[in-house]
Amino acid sequence: MSSVPVPSDLPKEAKVQWMTKNMNKFCVLPWINLHTSPNGYIKLCCSIQYNSYILNETDTPFNFGHDSIEKIWNSGFMRYVRETHRENKGFSACNECYNVEKISGHSPRMGQNDEWIRRKEKDAFTAEAVDDIAREDVLDLERLPLSLELRLGNLCNLQCVTCYGLSSSPIYDERQTQLNNGDVDGPQLAWLKKMWVNEKNLVDEADVKNWYETDMFYENFRKIAPKLKRLYTTGGEPTLIKANYKMMQMLLDAGNTDCAIEFTSNMANWNYEFYSRLEKFKNVEIQMSLDGAGEVGGYIRYPSDLNRVKENIMKAAEMASTRPNWKVKCYTVLQVLNYRHILPIWEILREAADAHSKHIDWWPITLYSPPQLSLGAITIEKRLAWLKEFKLLAAEFNSKVSYFRINDSTMTPCIDSIKNPEYSEELNKQLKQYVQVLDKSRKLNGVELFKEELS
């Protein structure tokens, strides 16, 4: 399906919805959203690979902390991307969504299309902005982005096994030490050393600390703040990053308490200054990132205190329970080390939801990077055998009356994400080597903990 003409007889307010349902490469986000990487470089959204940036006329990346929002938003690059999406031709940087759709039948592209069609009903400003997407005569957008997704540096408190130095300062420090100590030297680990050296160079060449404290950064945000409909922030760990407090205060100063605040937290930390500002907003989505419970969770989210994480999940559910427009969601990154350990996560979420009579949504995210932790590192036979048991366990879990349940819209992509990836013997070998490296560095025993996955 390439260029698909929008029926001319459709009313203006129905055209974009038609595009979302009939164009398999179309996405509303180039007209709505900007996303920053931890170094301030800008992408269309968080699903795009980290090196696919919005470029200026010299083919170098724009930076939200150094370039004006008007120059970025109406650049030749953004114009080209919008036309490509409107003609349903697809855009190479968006391949992540196209690939996920083939595996699971769902993707962030599809979710965001549905989300902004729903948001049209909430206010006239959003409706006009969305409806104008179908207008071919609109080139320069007078409206600034309605949505911002900001990754502000790499300040973090954890060293998650799936993470990398550009998003976690402790990961960067750990891997630099391992490289210096020769822990990944030798031909067998050449693949890992190459990955970590490239990662280290990427961080060393980037500004992950200062760009979001520049005058330009705050001037850009000041211009956007009065009409901003959605601010999503993460890091690093967003509750530790002071720029998030400042942005929330700028929204409050602009009288924009309707802006939907979304943030993803590992829940290992509860920062009262962060949450005291947050509680002044009407629409909040607390996105908890939880990849395991017990020893499994402690290994994946090293060195988190899982008891404290559970306490903070309880606090989030309690805080949201008295605010009807607040949502609590939990995302789990499906990977080799946790695909057989999902139910303990559900148990934690059920306990929190029922304790405070607050619905909590759960959603699986398919992991692709680092590749050695992807589900392609496990044989299809093993995954299919586990799915038989998993379906029975899920049905039993759902048989209880609760504020937390797993529905088909999340269960289906979860199952598809587990069963569909093609097995790679090379990834399986790299998985075992990676766990051994982690065990040595962190004085853990993942080889024993995950012996079923590694056998």
Side-chain angles (χ1 to χ4, degrees):
M1 191 185 298
S2 55
S3 182
V4 180
V6 181
S8 58
D9 57 346
L10 283 177
K12 175 185 175 182
E13 60 273 12
K15 288 186 176 181
V16 176
Q17 185 167 7
W18 184 93
M19 294 163 74
T20 66
K21 300 303 180 185
N22 294 277
M23 293 182 170
N24 62 354
K25 297 292 194 302
F26 171 78
C27 182
V28 300
L29 290 185
W31 289 264
I32 300 292
N33 183 72
L34 286 179
H35 170 94
T36 65
S37 292
N39 57 6
Y41 293 168
I42 306 165
K43 302 184 295 185
L44 300 174
C45 78
C46 63
S47 297
I48 290 176
Q49 292 298 314
Y50 62 84
N51 58 348
S52 298
Y53 300 120
I54 296 173
L55 305 177
N56 61 24
E57 61 275 5
T58 62
D59 288 334
T60 54
F62 282 109
N63 190 296
F64 198 86
H66 301 292
D67 297 297
S68 72
I69 184 60
E70 295 88 353
K71 189 174 181 180
I72 298 164
W73 193 231
N74 285 312
S75 62
F77 188 99
M78 289 300 297
R79 287 185 178 189
Y80 171 76
V81 172
R82 289 176 188 131
E83 287 305 303
T84 300
H85 277 263
R86 186 154 41 200
E87 294 175 6
N88 199 42
K89 293 180 178 178
F91 185 60
S92 59
C94 300
N95 282 335
E96 190 77 13
C97 275
Y98 308 149
N99 292 334
V100 170
E101 287 167 22
K102 292 177 183 177
I103 293 174
S104 67
H106 193 275
S107 72
R109 178 191 75 85
M110 298 166 70
Q112 286 295 324
N113 282 345
D114 291 342
E115 174 65 20
W116 286 97
I117 293 299
R118 285 194 297 269
R119 285 177 182 264
K120 279 181 54 176
E121 307 303 321
K122 296 181 180 180
D123 67 89
F125 187 82
T126 301
E128 187 174 356
V130 173
D131 289 343
D132 276 352
I133 292 173
R135 290 179 55 190
E136 295 184 7
D137 61 319
V138 176
L139 294 177
D140 287 341
L141 300 182
E142 293 183 5
R143 299 180 194 86
L144 295 176
L146 303 185
S147 170
L148 287 178
E149 299 171 343
L150 303 179
R151 288 183 175 270
L152 304 181
N154 69 346
L155 178 63
C156 195
N157 47 359
L158 298 183
Q159 297 158 252
C160 302
V161 299
T162 58
C163 201
Y164 70 126
L166 202 60
S167 291
S168 167
S169 47
I171 281 280
Y172 173 84
D173 293 339
E174 179 188 38
R175 292 180 180 173
Q176 180 169 252
T177 299
Q178 290 173 293
L179 288 169
N180 291 340
N181 291 344
D183 293 346
V184 288
D185 286 348
Q188 287 190 326
L189 294 175
W191 65 274
L192 188 58
K193 182 175 182 178
K194 180 181 179 181
M195 183 186 296
W196 285 1
V197 167
N198 289 340
E199 178 185 316
K200 179 182 180 300
N201 291 339
L202 187 67
V203 179
D204 290 345
E205 294 168 2
D207 170 17
V208 294
K209 296 180 180 179
N210 300 311
W211 68 270
Y212 54 89
E213 290 292 355
T214 64
D215 291 341
M216 180 63 76
F217 175 87
Y218 287 112
E219 177 63 14
N220 282 339
F221 191 81
R222 184 192 63 77
K223 292 176 182 176
I224 297 171
K227 297 293 186 180
L228 191 64
K229 301 301 178 183
R230 172 182 176 258
L231 172 63
Y232 169 79
T233 181
T234 186
E237 169 53 38
T239 62
L240 299 177
I241 299 170
K242 292 183 179 180
N244 286 316
Y245 317 157
K246 296 179 183 178
M247 287 189 295
M248 283 193 278
Q249 189 59 52
M250 291 173 78
L251 288 167
L252 294 172
D253 292 344
N256 188 0
T257 57
D258 289 322
C259 179
I261 307 295
E262 303 172 9
F263 66 98
T264 300
S265 171
N266 57 41
M267 305 308 291
N269 174 71
W270 189 272
N271 189 307
Y272 287 95
E273 185 175 358
F274 179 91
Y275 285 99
S276 66
R277 283 191 174 87
L278 188 70
E279 65 184 1
K280 295 179 173 65
F281 290 87
K282 302 173 186 176
N283 305 292
V284 170
E285 185 170 288
I286 301 173
Q287 299 180 2
M288 307 180 299
S289 183
L290 188 61
D291 286 346
E295 286 186 279
V296 171
Y299 191 95
I300 294 173
R301 289 297 176 87
Y302 178 83
S304 57
D305 180 339
L306 269 296
N307 290 325
R308 180 169 293 181
V309 169
K310 187 174 178 179
E311 288 175 7
N312 292 337
I313 290 173
M314 285 288 186
K315 288 179 183 178
E318 181 180 16
M319 192 175 186
S321 67
T322 60
R323 297 168 170 84
N325 290 332
W326 282 37
K327 297 178 182 178
V328 182
K329 294 185 176 180
C330 179
Y331 291 91
T332 296
V333 179
L334 287 177
Q335 49 151 307
V336 167
L337 301 185
N338 71 2
Y339 82 103
R340 293 176 59 252
H341 307 281
I342 300 299
L343 262 73
I345 298 174
W346 293 354
E347 294 289 356
I348 292 174
L349 299 177
R350 168 174 281 176
E351 185 177 345
D354 289 348
H356 299 289
S357 303
K358 181 67 179 181
H359 289 283
I360 297 178
D361 294 325
W362 177 80
W363 190 262
I365 299 173
T366 305
L367 178 140
Y368 287 96
S369 180
Q372 70 272 14
L373 289 176
S374 69
L375 283 158
I378 295 289
T379 65
I380 294 175
E381 291 75 17
K382 277 189 177 182
R383 283 181 268 137
L384 292 179
W386 164 245
L387 279 177
K388 291 181 181 179
E389 183 178 351
F390 181 51
K391 291 175 183 178
L392 293 174
L393 291 170
E396 182 180 352
F397 181 90
N398 267 345
S399 66
K400 300 176 184 177
V401 176
S402 173
Y403 279 90
F404 177 78
R405 295 176 61 82
I406 303 300
N407 56 42
D408 289 342
S409 65
T410 53
M411 192 63 180
T412 298
C414 180
I415 291 172
D416 288 345
S417 294
I418 294 172
K419 74 178 183 181
N420 287 340
E422 184 177 348
Y423 171 65
S424 166
E425 187 174 348
E426 182 65 19
L427 289 181
N428 181 266
K429 182 175 72 173
Q430 292 177 356
L431 165 66
K432 295 172 183 176
Q433 293 170 342
Y434 184 55
V435 171
Q436 289 169 355
V437 169
L438 292 176
D439 283 358
K440 180 179 178 181
S441 172
R442 301 176 179 184
K443 304 299 188 290
L444 299 175
N445 194 359
V447 171
E448 177 64 24
L449 180 61
F450 301 106
K451 59 184 177 182
E452 176 68 26
E453 288 80 4
L454 300 177
S455 62

Short mmCIF file of all heavy atoms in Angstrom, two decimals, residues 50 160-166 171-172 175-176 178-179 184-186 188-204 367-374 426-427 430-431 433-434 437-438:
data_model
loop_
_atom_site.label_atom_id
_atom_site.label_comp_id
_atom_site.label_asym_id
_atom_site.label_seq_id
_atom_site.Cartn_x
_atom_site.Cartn_y
_atom_site.Cartn_z
N TYR A 50 17.95 5.53 18.31
CA TYR A 50 18.56 6.72 18.90
C TYR A 50 19.37 7.57 17.91
O TYR A 50 19.59 8.75 18.14
CB TYR A 50 19.46 6.34 20.08
CG TYR A 50 20.62 5.44 19.76
CD1 TYR A 50 21.82 5.96 19.28
CD2 TYR A 50 20.52 4.06 19.97
CE1 TYR A 50 22.89 5.13 19.00
CE2 TYR A 50 21.60 3.23 19.69
CZ TYR A 50 22.79 3.77 19.21
OH TYR A 50 23.84 2.94 18.94
N CYS A 160 20.12 -1.22 34.90
CA CYS A 160 19.27 -2.27 34.33
C CYS A 160 20.02 -3.01 33.23
O CYS A 160 20.76 -2.40 32.44
CB CYS A 160 17.98 -1.67 33.77
SG CYS A 160 17.03 -0.76 35.02
N VAL A 161 19.81 -4.32 33.14
CA VAL A 161 20.56 -5.14 32.19
C VAL A 161 20.22 -4.80 30.75
O VAL A 161 20.99 -5.10 29.84
CB VAL A 161 20.34 -6.64 32.45
CG1 VAL A 161 20.81 -7.04 33.83
CG2 VAL A 161 18.88 -7.03 32.23
N THR A 162 19.07 -4.19 30.53
CA THR A 162 18.64 -3.85 29.17
C THR A 162 19.08 -2.45 28.76
O THR A 162 18.88 -2.05 27.62
CB THR A 162 17.11 -3.93 29.05
OG1 THR A 162 16.52 -3.05 30.02
CG2 THR A 162 16.62 -5.34 29.30
N CYS A 163 19.67 -1.69 29.69
CA CYS A 163 19.94 -0.28 29.45
C CYS A 163 21.33 -0.07 28.86
O CYS A 163 22.11 -1.00 28.67
CB CYS A 163 19.76 0.50 30.75
SG CYS A 163 19.47 2.27 30.47
N TYR A 164 21.65 1.21 28.60
CA TYR A 164 22.96 1.57 28.06
C TYR A 164 23.36 2.94 28.60
O TYR A 164 22.55 3.63 29.25
CB TYR A 164 22.96 1.51 26.55
CG TYR A 164 22.17 2.57 25.83
CD1 TYR A 164 22.77 3.35 24.86
CD2 TYR A 164 20.81 2.78 26.08
CE1 TYR A 164 22.06 4.32 24.16
CE2 TYR A 164 20.09 3.74 25.40
CZ TYR A 164 20.72 4.51 24.45
OH TYR A 164 20.02 5.47 23.78
N GLY A 165 24.61 3.29 28.38
CA GLY A 165 25.19 4.45 29.03
C GLY A 165 24.53 5.78 28.72
O GLY A 165 24.58 6.70 29.53
N LEU A 166 23.90 5.91 27.56
CA LEU A 166 23.27 7.17 27.20
C LEU A 166 22.00 7.42 28.02
O LEU A 166 21.52 8.54 28.09
CB LEU A 166 22.93 7.19 25.71
CG LEU A 166 22.74 8.56 25.06
CD1 LEU A 166 24.00 9.41 25.18
CD2 LEU A 166 22.33 8.43 23.61
N ILE A 171 25.34 2.85 34.56
CA ILE A 171 25.72 1.88 33.52
C ILE A 171 26.98 2.35 32.81
O ILE A 171 27.91 1.56 32.55
CB ILE A 171 24.57 1.68 32.51
CG1 ILE A 171 23.50 0.76 33.09
CG2 ILE A 171 25.09 1.12 31.19
CD1 ILE A 171 23.80 -0.72 33.00
N TYR A 172 27.01 3.63 32.46
CA TYR A 172 28.20 4.18 31.79
C TYR A 172 29.43 3.96 32.65
O TYR A 172 30.48 3.50 32.16
CB TYR A 172 28.00 5.66 31.50
CG TYR A 172 29.25 6.33 30.95
CD1 TYR A 172 29.56 6.27 29.60
CD2 TYR A 172 30.15 6.99 31.81
CE1 TYR A 172 30.71 6.85 29.10
CE2 TYR A 172 31.30 7.57 31.32
CZ TYR A 172 31.58 7.49 29.97
OH TYR A 172 32.73 8.07 29.48
N ARG A 175 30.47 0.16 32.83
CA ARG A 175 31.04 -0.39 31.60
C ARG A 175 32.40 0.24 31.28
O ARG A 175 33.27 -0.43 30.71
CB ARG A 175 30.05 -0.23 30.44
CG ARG A 175 28.85 -1.13 30.64
CD ARG A 175 27.81 -1.03 29.57
NE ARG A 175 26.72 -1.94 29.88
CZ ARG A 175 25.58 -2.01 29.20
NH1 ARG A 175 25.39 -1.22 28.15
NH2 ARG A 175 24.64 -2.86 29.57
N GLN A 176 32.58 1.49 31.66
CA GLN A 176 33.89 2.10 31.47
C GLN A 176 34.92 1.37 32.34
O GLN A 176 36.05 1.10 31.88
CB GLN A 176 33.85 3.57 31.84
CG GLN A 176 35.18 4.28 31.66
CD GLN A 176 35.05 5.79 31.77
OE1 GLN A 176 35.16 6.52 30.79
NE2 GLN A 176 34.82 6.27 32.98
N GLN A 178 34.71 -1.77 33.37
CA GLN A 178 34.91 -3.10 32.79
C GLN A 178 35.83 -3.05 31.57
O GLN A 178 36.67 -3.93 31.38
CB GLN A 178 33.56 -3.71 32.42
CG GLN A 178 32.72 -4.10 33.64
CD GLN A 178 31.32 -4.55 33.25
OE1 GLN A 178 30.52 -3.76 32.77
NE2 GLN A 178 31.04 -5.83 33.45
N LEU A 179 35.67 -2.02 30.75
CA LEU A 179 36.55 -1.86 29.59
C LEU A 179 37.99 -1.60 30.04
O LEU A 179 38.93 -2.19 29.50
CB LEU A 179 36.05 -0.72 28.71
CG LEU A 179 34.78 -0.98 27.89
CD1 LEU A 179 34.24 0.32 27.29
CD2 LEU A 179 35.02 -2.00 26.79
N VAL A 184 36.11 -7.51 29.16
CA VAL A 184 35.48 -7.98 27.92
C VAL A 184 36.51 -8.12 26.81
O VAL A 184 36.18 -8.06 25.63
CB VAL A 184 34.31 -7.06 27.49
CG1 VAL A 184 33.12 -7.21 28.41
CG2 VAL A 184 34.76 -5.60 27.44
N ASP A 185 37.75 -8.33 27.21
CA ASP A 185 38.80 -8.59 26.22
C ASP A 185 38.73 -10.04 25.74
O ASP A 185 38.12 -10.89 26.39
CB ASP A 185 40.18 -8.31 26.82
CG ASP A 185 40.46 -6.82 26.95
OD1 ASP A 185 39.69 -6.02 26.37
OD2 ASP A 185 41.43 -6.46 27.64
N GLY A 186 39.35 -10.31 24.62
CA GLY A 186 39.39 -11.66 24.08
C GLY A 186 38.44 -11.84 22.92
O GLY A 186 37.44 -11.12 22.80
N GLN A 188 36.20 -14.12 22.16
CA GLN A 188 34.81 -14.54 22.40
C GLN A 188 33.90 -13.37 22.74
O GLN A 188 32.70 -13.41 22.44
CB GLN A 188 34.78 -15.58 23.52
CG GLN A 188 35.31 -16.96 23.12
CD GLN A 188 35.03 -18.00 24.18
OE1 GLN A 188 35.04 -17.71 25.37
NE2 GLN A 188 34.76 -19.22 23.75
N LEU A 189 34.45 -12.35 23.39
CA LEU A 189 33.64 -11.20 23.80
C LEU A 189 33.87 -9.97 22.93
O LEU A 189 33.49 -8.87 23.30
CB LEU A 189 33.93 -10.86 25.26
CG LEU A 189 33.50 -11.91 26.30
CD1 LEU A 189 33.95 -11.50 27.70
CD2 LEU A 189 31.99 -12.11 26.28
N ALA A 190 34.46 -10.18 21.76
CA ALA A 190 34.75 -9.05 20.87
C ALA A 190 33.47 -8.30 20.50
O ALA A 190 33.46 -7.07 20.37
CB ALA A 190 35.46 -9.55 19.62
N TRP A 191 32.38 -9.04 20.32
CA TRP A 191 31.08 -8.43 19.95
C TRP A 191 30.60 -7.48 21.05
O TRP A 191 30.08 -6.39 20.76
CB TRP A 191 30.03 -9.51 19.70
CG TRP A 191 29.69 -10.30 20.94
CD1 TRP A 191 30.34 -11.41 21.43
CD2 TRP A 191 28.64 -10.01 21.87
NE1 TRP A 191 29.75 -11.84 22.60
CE2 TRP A 191 28.70 -11.01 22.89
CE3 TRP A 191 27.64 -9.05 21.94
CZ2 TRP A 191 27.82 -11.05 23.97
CZ3 TRP A 191 26.75 -9.07 23.01
CH2 TRP A 191 26.84 -10.07 24.01
N LEU A 192 30.78 -7.88 22.33
CA LEU A 192 30.32 -7.06 23.44
C LEU A 192 31.23 -5.86 23.64
O LEU A 192 30.76 -4.74 23.90
CB LEU A 192 30.26 -7.91 24.72
CG LEU A 192 29.63 -7.25 25.95
CD1 LEU A 192 28.19 -6.82 25.65
CD2 LEU A 192 29.66 -8.20 27.14
N LYS A 193 32.53 -6.07 23.50
CA LYS A 193 33.46 -4.96 23.64
C LYS A 193 33.20 -3.90 22.58
O LYS A 193 33.19 -2.69 22.87
CB LYS A 193 34.91 -5.46 23.54
CG LYS A 193 35.94 -4.35 23.73
CD LYS A 193 37.36 -4.89 23.75
CE LYS A 193 38.36 -3.77 24.00
NZ LYS A 193 39.76 -4.28 24.07
N LYS A 194 32.96 -4.34 21.35
CA LYS A 194 32.65 -3.39 20.28
C LYS A 194 31.40 -2.59 20.60
O LYS A 194 31.36 -1.36 20.42
CB LYS A 194 32.48 -4.15 18.95
CG LYS A 194 32.16 -3.24 17.78
CD LYS A 194 31.97 -4.06 16.49
CE LYS A 194 31.63 -3.15 15.31
NZ LYS A 194 31.42 -3.94 14.06
N MET A 195 30.37 -3.28 21.11
CA MET A 195 29.12 -2.62 21.46
C MET A 195 29.35 -1.58 22.55
O MET A 195 28.87 -0.44 22.46
CB MET A 195 28.10 -3.66 21.94
CG MET A 195 26.73 -3.12 22.28
SD MET A 195 25.65 -4.40 23.00
CE MET A 195 25.53 -5.55 21.62
N TRP A 196 30.12 -1.94 23.56
CA TRP A 196 30.34 -1.04 24.69
C TRP A 196 31.28 0.11 24.34
O TRP A 196 31.11 1.22 24.83
CB TRP A 196 30.86 -1.83 25.88
CG TRP A 196 29.79 -2.64 26.56
CD1 TRP A 196 28.48 -2.73 26.20
CD2 TRP A 196 29.95 -3.48 27.71
NE1 TRP A 196 27.80 -3.57 27.05
CE2 TRP A 196 28.67 -4.04 27.99
CE3 TRP A 196 31.03 -3.82 28.52
CZ2 TRP A 196 28.46 -4.91 29.05
CZ3 TRP A 196 30.82 -4.69 29.58
CH2 TRP A 196 29.55 -5.23 29.85
N VAL A 197 32.26 -0.13 23.50
CA VAL A 197 33.15 0.95 23.06
C VAL A 197 32.36 1.97 22.25
O VAL A 197 32.49 3.19 22.44
CB VAL A 197 34.33 0.40 22.25
CG1 VAL A 197 35.08 1.53 21.54
CG2 VAL A 197 35.29 -0.37 23.15
N ASN A 198 31.53 1.50 21.34
CA ASN A 198 30.69 2.41 20.54
C ASN A 198 29.76 3.21 21.45
O ASN A 198 29.55 4.42 21.24
CB ASN A 198 29.88 1.62 19.52
CG ASN A 198 30.73 1.06 18.40
OD1 ASN A 198 31.84 1.54 18.16
ND2 ASN A 198 30.23 0.06 17.71
N GLU A 199 29.21 2.52 22.44
CA GLU A 199 28.30 3.17 23.38
C GLU A 199 29.05 4.24 24.19
O GLU A 199 28.55 5.35 24.38
CB GLU A 199 27.72 2.10 24.30
CG GLU A 199 26.80 2.60 25.38
CD GLU A 199 26.39 1.45 26.30
OE1 GLU A 199 26.07 0.36 25.78
OE2 GLU A 199 26.42 1.64 27.53
N LYS A 200 30.23 3.90 24.67
CA LYS A 200 31.04 4.84 25.44
C LYS A 200 31.39 6.07 24.60
O LYS A 200 31.29 7.21 25.08
CB LYS A 200 32.32 4.17 25.93
CG LYS A 200 33.25 5.08 26.74
CD LYS A 200 34.52 4.36 27.14
CE LYS A 200 35.44 5.27 27.95
NZ LYS A 200 35.86 6.47 27.19
N ASN A 201 31.78 5.84 23.34
CA ASN A 201 32.11 6.96 22.46
C ASN A 201 30.90 7.86 22.23
O ASN A 201 31.03 9.09 22.16
CB ASN A 201 32.64 6.43 21.12
CG ASN A 201 34.00 5.77 21.25
OD1 ASN A 201 34.73 6.01 22.21
ND2 ASN A 201 34.35 4.92 20.30
N LEU A 202 29.73 7.24 22.11
CA LEU A 202 28.50 7.99 21.90
C LEU A 202 28.24 8.93 23.07
O LEU A 202 27.90 10.10 22.88
CB LEU A 202 27.33 7.03 21.71
CG LEU A 202 25.99 7.65 21.30
CD1 LEU A 202 26.07 8.24 19.91
CD2 LEU A 202 24.88 6.59 21.36
N VAL A 203 28.42 8.42 24.29
CA VAL A 203 28.20 9.24 25.48
C VAL A 203 29.28 10.31 25.59
O VAL A 203 28.99 11.47 25.91
CB VAL A 203 28.16 8.36 26.75
CG1 VAL A 203 27.96 9.23 27.99
CG2 VAL A 203 27.05 7.32 26.65
N ASP A 204 30.53 9.92 25.34
CA ASP A 204 31.64 10.87 25.46
C ASP A 204 31.50 12.04 24.49
O ASP A 204 31.93 13.16 24.78
CB ASP A 204 32.98 10.16 25.21
CG ASP A 204 33.35 9.22 26.34
OD1 ASP A 204 32.75 9.32 27.44
OD2 ASP A 204 34.22 8.35 26.12
N LEU A 367 11.24 -6.23 23.44
CA LEU A 367 12.63 -5.77 23.44
C LEU A 367 13.35 -6.19 22.16
O LEU A 367 13.24 -7.34 21.74
CB LEU A 367 13.37 -6.34 24.66
CG LEU A 367 14.86 -5.97 24.76
CD1 LEU A 367 15.24 -5.66 26.20
CD2 LEU A 367 15.75 -7.10 24.23
N TYR A 368 14.10 -5.25 21.58
CA TYR A 368 14.96 -5.54 20.43
C TYR A 368 16.42 -5.24 20.73
O TYR A 368 17.31 -5.80 20.09
CB TYR A 368 14.51 -4.73 19.21
CG TYR A 368 13.23 -5.23 18.60
CD1 TYR A 368 12.02 -4.66 18.93
CD2 TYR A 368 13.24 -6.32 17.72
CE1 TYR A 368 10.83 -5.13 18.39
CE2 TYR A 368 12.06 -6.80 17.18
CZ TYR A 368 10.86 -6.20 17.51
OH TYR A 368 9.69 -6.68 16.98
N SER A 369 16.65 -4.35 21.70
CA SER A 369 18.02 -3.96 22.01
C SER A 369 18.19 -3.91 23.52
O SER A 369 17.32 -3.39 24.22
CB SER A 369 18.32 -2.59 21.39
OG SER A 369 19.62 -2.18 21.66
N PRO A 370 19.29 -4.49 24.03
CA PRO A 370 20.37 -5.16 23.31
C PRO A 370 19.90 -6.50 22.75
O PRO A 370 19.12 -7.22 23.41
CB PRO A 370 21.45 -5.35 24.38
CG PRO A 370 20.69 -5.41 25.67
CD PRO A 370 19.53 -4.50 25.51
N PRO A 371 20.34 -6.88 21.55
CA PRO A 371 19.78 -8.05 20.86
C PRO A 371 19.97 -9.36 21.61
O PRO A 371 19.14 -10.27 21.47
CB PRO A 371 20.52 -8.05 19.52
CG PRO A 371 21.72 -7.20 19.71
CD PRO A 371 21.34 -6.17 20.72
N GLN A 372 21.03 -9.48 22.41
CA GLN A 372 21.27 -10.75 23.11
C GLN A 372 20.23 -11.03 24.19
O GLN A 372 20.12 -12.16 24.67
CB GLN A 372 22.68 -10.79 23.72
CG GLN A 372 22.91 -9.87 24.91
CD GLN A 372 23.34 -8.48 24.51
OE1 GLN A 372 23.23 -8.09 23.36
NE2 GLN A 372 23.87 -7.72 25.46
N LEU A 373 19.43 -10.02 24.57
CA LEU A 373 18.35 -10.23 25.53
C LEU A 373 16.99 -10.35 24.86
O LEU A 373 15.98 -10.53 25.53
CB LEU A 373 18.32 -9.08 26.55
CG LEU A 373 19.47 -9.04 27.56
CD1 LEU A 373 19.36 -7.81 28.44
CD2 LEU A 373 19.49 -10.30 28.42
N SER A 374 16.95 -10.26 23.54
CA SER A 374 15.68 -10.40 22.84
C SER A 374 15.23 -11.85 22.86
O SER A 374 16.01 -12.77 23.09
CB SER A 374 15.82 -9.91 21.39
OG SER A 374 16.64 -10.82 20.65
N GLU A 426 23.34 -17.63 17.46
CA GLU A 426 24.37 -16.67 17.82
C GLU A 426 23.93 -15.80 18.99
O GLU A 426 24.71 -15.54 19.92
CB GLU A 426 24.71 -15.79 16.62
CG GLU A 426 25.82 -14.76 16.86
CD GLU A 426 27.17 -15.41 17.13
OE1 GLU A 426 27.36 -16.60 16.77
OE2 GLU A 426 28.05 -14.73 17.70
N LEU A 427 22.68 -15.36 18.98
CA LEU A 427 22.17 -14.56 20.10
C LEU A 427 22.12 -15.38 21.38
O LEU A 427 22.37 -14.87 22.48
CB LEU A 427 20.78 -14.00 19.78
CG LEU A 427 20.70 -12.90 18.73
CD1 LEU A 427 19.26 -12.44 18.55
CD2 LEU A 427 21.59 -11.71 19.10
N GLN A 430 25.56 -15.39 22.77
CA GLN A 430 25.88 -14.08 23.32
C GLN A 430 25.13 -13.83 24.63
O GLN A 430 25.67 -13.19 25.55
CB GLN A 430 25.56 -12.98 22.31
CG GLN A 430 26.47 -13.01 21.09
CD GLN A 430 26.11 -11.96 20.05
OE1 GLN A 430 25.12 -11.24 20.20
NE2 GLN A 430 26.91 -11.86 19.00
N LEU A 431 23.92 -14.33 24.73
CA LEU A 431 23.15 -14.21 25.96
C LEU A 431 23.90 -14.84 27.14
O LEU A 431 24.05 -14.22 28.20
CB LEU A 431 21.79 -14.88 25.79
CG LEU A 431 20.99 -15.16 27.08
CD1 LEU A 431 20.58 -13.85 27.75
CD2 LEU A 431 19.78 -16.04 26.78
N GLN A 433 27.08 -15.48 27.42
CA GLN A 433 28.30 -14.72 27.71
C GLN A 433 27.97 -13.43 28.46
O GLN A 433 28.70 -13.05 29.40
CB GLN A 433 29.03 -14.42 26.40
CG GLN A 433 29.58 -15.65 25.70
CD GLN A 433 30.09 -15.35 24.31
OE1 GLN A 433 29.74 -14.33 23.71
NE2 GLN A 433 30.92 -16.23 23.76
N TYR A 434 26.90 -12.79 28.07
CA TYR A 434 26.50 -11.53 28.71
C TYR A 434 26.16 -11.73 30.18
O TYR A 434 26.60 -10.96 31.05
CB TYR A 434 25.31 -10.93 27.96
CG TYR A 434 24.86 -9.57 28.45
CD1 TYR A 434 25.75 -8.51 28.54
CD2 TYR A 434 23.54 -9.36 28.81
CE1 TYR A 434 25.32 -7.25 28.98
CE2 TYR A 434 23.10 -8.11 29.25
CZ TYR A 434 24.01 -7.07 29.34
OH TYR A 434 23.59 -5.84 29.77
N VAL A 437 29.29 -12.19 32.19
CA VAL A 437 29.99 -10.92 32.41
C VAL A 437 29.32 -10.13 33.53
O VAL A 437 29.99 -9.57 34.41
CB VAL A 437 30.04 -10.10 31.11
CG1 VAL A 437 30.53 -8.67 31.39
CG2 VAL A 437 30.95 -10.77 30.09
N LEU A 438 27.98 -10.07 33.50
CA LEU A 438 27.25 -9.37 34.56
C LEU A 438 27.49 -10.01 35.92
O LEU A 438 27.70 -9.31 36.93
CB LEU A 438 25.75 -9.37 34.25
CG LEU A 438 25.27 -8.54 33.06
CD1 LEU A 438 23.78 -8.74 32.86
CD2 LEU A 438 25.58 -7.06 33.26
#
